[in-house]
Amino acid sequence: MTYADVVIVGAGAAGLSLAYRLCAPDARVPLSVVLVDAPPGPLRPPPRTWCFWEPPGGEFDAVLSASWQRLRVRAADGSATVAVPSPLRYKMLRSDAFTALVGSRLDAAAGFARTELTVRAVRDAAGGGGEVVGEDARGRRTVVRGRYVFDSRPPGRLPAARTTLLQHFTGWFVHTERPVFDPDTATLMDFRTPQPRHGLSFAYVLPLDARTALVEYTEFSRTPLEPAAYAEALDHHLGEVLGASPYRVSATEHGVIPMTDGRFPPRAGRSVFRVGTAGGATRPSTGYTFSGVQRQSRSLATALRAGKPPRTPPPYRARSLAMDAVMLRALDAGRVDGAAFFTGLFRSVPPARLLRFLDGSAPLREELLVGLRTPVAPMLRTLAELPFRSRRFMPTDPTPAVPHPPGPPGLSDEE
């Protein structure tokens, strides 16, 4: 059995971010930290891309894949709105680069250790603190105990909610034979895609240069699609809409992110805490998680490194979550046209203000100003009905991620 001050379960964005901050070299109270990672295989998350916005000079700028000053949104008719949200930049970070950066700090920390286990239970320990029970590579039962345990694994079941949509997507890293992309501008939403009955869909284009980009097909809807449907949508958007054919796909990624007004409990016991999506770090109205994870991990690490009990304040304010609940319900009920809703916001709201609003960091005055730019009548109707809607569990829970997402027609993942 191993014992540490802090045990972290899972080495995704949330687990690594918390370990990174706990093992900072200037800690007033040195801590022993054990990171419990899944063994190689389906339980370990595949490489993925995280995006967020902040001013230049962020702590992860050295390992960014790219960043953009200009953002574009295209309406269903193809008309474009281009915004410059100065001083904010839209930043793209690949998980392998982030893992390497975090690993360099963790390897130098005297009190840090890493172990690989197939985790079977995370719970309070009988004698105080928490414990992680699992099996090592040889199948031997192993227990790791700590004063505090932070579980960053995706939730096994989504909480009961009045509205639950899923943000599900597949992205391709593509290379074209001729210049197609504008490397100075990221396209956050291109609504020249068929819209689902409930929710919305859009394409997402992050150019690395004039011939290379991450292109994603994304839906906000009640259920994920079959793998072939994502490939068909991407191939159509690249070929027919962007005119990027012929193209070559070098890598793929897929994900399913919950967008729900359900309440994620921050604790699973006296000494067991949830972080990441399971701890409420995903913004319900957008699916963005990375910035919420950083706020969450920074708050926890500040308390622990000062020798104080951890506090888990929600990454988003109550009023932001209330507005998210209204938006999700209005979108799911079909009271607002999703494509027109987001296009209208980008056309009418100053870009830096809108990004602060979407990130949950806008002051009350800015939130009210943005709210006035939404369809007021359907939003008020939705607000009036929400208190009377019961919270329910989803009949089945989504798969958080698919390790081997579908490739394009006629192209294997190995190609």
Side-chain angles (χ1 to χ4, degrees):
M1 184 174 65
T2 303
Y3 185 86
D5 294 315
V6 176
V7 179
I8 301 170
V9 183
L16 288 175
S17 296
L18 181 56
Y20 178 80
R21 300 190 188 285
L22 288 174
C23 294
D26 59 345
R28 287 168 46 194
V29 179
L31 297 168
S32 57
V33 178
V34 173
L35 178 65
V36 179
D37 196 3
L43 295 178
R44 183 175 290 188
R48 59 189 62 192
T49 302
W50 300 311
C51 291
F52 54 99
W53 42 79
E54 66 176 7
E59 59 188 323
F60 307 126
D61 276 13
V63 293
L64 294 176
S65 297
S67 68
W68 301 268
Q69 290 181 312
R70 291 159 46 94
L71 304 177
R72 179 191 295 117
V73 172
R74 285 197 182 274
D77 63 4
S79 59
T81 299
V82 178
V84 181
S86 179
L88 303 177
R89 294 181 69 96
Y90 194 63
K91 299 182 177 183
M92 174 183 177
L93 177 61
R94 291 285 288 161
S95 60
D96 51 357
F98 179 72
T99 299
L101 174 69
V102 172
S104 63
R105 171 179 289 186
L106 299 183
D107 291 342
F112 175 77
R114 186 193 300 258
T115 187
E116 292 183 356
L117 294 178
T118 300
V119 174
R120 301 302 182 190
V122 179
R123 62 199 181 198
D124 285 327
E131 65 180 12
V132 180
V133 182
E135 290 127 26
D136 65 12
R138 298 183 181 180
R140 297 175 299 188
R141 183 178 185 272
T142 303
V143 179
V144 181
R145 287 186 177 172
R147 184 178 180 189
Y148 301 109
V149 176
F150 295 90
D151 191 349
S152 72
R153 297 173 300 167
R157 185 180 190 185
L158 295 180
R162 293 167 297 196
T163 308
T164 296
L165 295 176
L166 303 176
Q167 181 180 156
H168 48 100
F169 59 89
T170 290
W172 291 346
F173 283 88
V174 299
H175 303 271
T176 62
E177 291 187 356
R178 56 187 178 80
V180 173
F181 307 110
D182 175 3
D184 297 323
T185 306
T187 299
L188 291 187
M189 292 178 164
D190 185 339
F191 290 107
R192 293 175 293 177
T193 54
Q195 297 300 309
R197 182 177 178 184
H198 298 277
L200 73 154
S201 72
F202 56 90
Y204 180 59
V205 182
L206 301 183
L208 303 179
D209 58 48
R211 292 182 173 86
T212 309
L214 170 61
V215 182
E216 289 188 354
Y217 174 78
T218 300
E219 275 196 16
F220 297 177
S221 60
R222 295 178 179 178
T223 56
L225 305 177
E226 293 296 323
Y230 299 102
E232 181 180 350
L234 279 167
D235 186 59
H236 176 268
H237 195 78
L238 281 160
E240 303 300 322
V241 179
L242 298 182
S245 296
Y247 60 86
R248 177 176 60 86
V249 177
S250 61
T252 62
E253 60 183 39
H254 180 79
V256 180
I257 302 170
M259 303 175 67
T260 173
D261 67 353
R263 303 183 182 116
F264 289 87
R267 302 181 80 140
R270 297 184 309 275
S271 303
V272 178
F273 300 80
R274 294 186 174 98
V275 293
T277 294
T282 297
R283 181 75 197 263
S285 61
T286 65
Y288 282 100
T289 304
F290 192 80
S291 292
V293 160
Q294 301 314 309
R295 288 193 290 269
Q296 192 177 64
S297 62
R298 191 178 293 115
S299 175
L300 290 168
T302 297
L304 289 165
R305 291 172 55 194
K308 300 177 181 179
R311 293 180 60 253
T312 54
Y316 305 101
R317 293 174 295 216
R319 67 174 185 260
S320 299
L321 296 177
M323 287 187 285
D324 286 352
V326 173
M327 192 278 282
L328 286 175
R329 173 59 189 158
L331 193 63
D332 187 46
R335 294 198 184 111
V336 297
D337 179 308
F341 175 84
F342 282 103
T343 301
L345 285 180
F346 274 90
R347 283 176 175 169
S348 61
V349 178
R353 177 184 299 170
L354 180 57
L355 293 189
R356 287 192 293 269
F357 174 81
L358 295 176
D359 192 46
S361 60
L364 176 60
R365 177 180 174 275
E366 288 192 351
E367 289 188 331
L368 293 175
L369 289 173
V370 173
L372 292 174
R373 298 294 184 176
T374 65
V376 176
M379 291 301 189
L380 289 176
R381 177 185 172 189
T382 303
L383 176 63
E385 78 166 20
L386 275 181
F388 303 99
R389 288 187 59 82
S390 59
R391 294 180 180 271
R392 300 179 180 180
F393 289 101
M394 291 185 68
T396 58
D397 284 315
T399 302
V402 176
H404 301 289
L411 185 67
S412 70
D413 290 341
E414 290 71 31
E415 294 179 90

